[in-house]
């Protein structure tokens, strides 16, 4: 997944102040469902992917010179995959998504709700803080 879709992820680091909208397909589908968290804060994401691309180009050049088979059909070199793993990318947990959406700390899911259902519920919800402000505005007496 990382090799195929890595560049389509919206990658954020723990100190980031933004994230993409989390949809009900988060953690189940890869593209356009929410941000991915990069735990290796000291690494520059763009630079890492640029080095990865250089390793792929080097492999493509090697295949073109030495073999008639297209380089695109071969897997990426192990050192390129290992490089992407150094970013330590992971999905946000349901609790982290709930925190970002303003759910209170005491909010939790019943034990019977599985992981996929938790992401779906959160992906179909809206920010608690935004709703609270809208409600205050709507019921404010003028």
């Amino acid at each position: 997944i990382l090799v195929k879709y890595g560049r389509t992820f919206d990658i954020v680091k723990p100190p980031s102040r933004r994230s993409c909208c989390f949809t009900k397909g988060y953690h189940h589908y890869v593209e356009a469902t929410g941000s991915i968290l990069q735990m290796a804060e000291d690494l520059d994401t763009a630079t890492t992917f640029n080095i990865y691309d250089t390793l792929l180009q080097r492999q493509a050049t090697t295949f073109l010179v030495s073999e008639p088979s297209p380089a695109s059909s071969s897997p990426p070199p192990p050192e390129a995959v290992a490089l992407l793993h150094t970013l330590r990318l992971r999905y946000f947990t349901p609790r982290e998504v709930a925190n970002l959406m303003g759910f209170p700390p005491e909010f939790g899911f019943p034990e019977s709700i599985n992981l996929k259902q938790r992401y779906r519920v959160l992906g179909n919800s809206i920010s608690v803080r935004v709703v609270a402000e809208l409600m205050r505005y709507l019921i404010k007496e003028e």
Side-chain angles (χ1 to χ4, degrees):
I1 291 175
L2 184 56
V3 169
K4 186 173 181 180
Y5 297 104
R7 286 221 183 255
T8 63
F9 290 142
D10 174 61
I11 300 172
V12 297
K13 296 179 182 180
S16 296
R17 303 294 294 166
R18 63 141 199 98
S19 69
C20 279
C21 176
F22 293 94
T23 69
K24 69 179 186 174
Y26 189 70
H27 199 266
H28 183 69
Y29 296 107
V30 177
E31 296 179 277
T33 61
S35 297
I36 302 293
L37 190 59
Q38 178 181 321
M39 298 306 294
E41 295 181 48
D42 58 324
L43 296 179
D44 181 70
T45 311
T47 300
T48 303
F49 274 98
N50 289 339
I51 295 169
Y52 172 79
D53 289 341
T54 301
L55 291 171
L56 290 184
Q57 289 169 356
R58 188 175 303 145
Q59 178 188 24
T61 304
T62 303
F63 274 110
L64 290 174
V65 170
S66 64
E67 296 181 18
S69 64
S72 62
S73 65
S74 62
E79 64 271 17
V81 175
L83 176 67
L84 292 183
H85 283 285
T86 64
L87 293 172
R88 295 179 36 226
L89 300 176
R90 70 169 178 84
Y91 286 99
F92 282 83
T93 65
R95 177 71 255 168
E96 290 167 334
V97 174
N99 290 347
L100 289 169
M101 296 185 77
F103 284 81
E106 59 275 4
F107 170 80
F109 289 99
E111 292 292 323
S112 61
I113 303 296
N114 67 34
L115 187 64
K116 183 177 179 178
Q117 292 169 324
R118 291 174 189 209
Y119 283 117
R120 282 190 173 209
V121 167
L122 290 167
N124 284 337
S125 66
I126 55 178
S127 170
V128 174
R129 291 183 187 126
V130 171
V131 171
E133 288 302 315
L134 287 172
M135 293 301 292
R136 278 191 203 96
Y137 176 77
L138 291 173
I139 62 173
K140 184 170 92 174
E141 293 183 40
E142 302 251 355

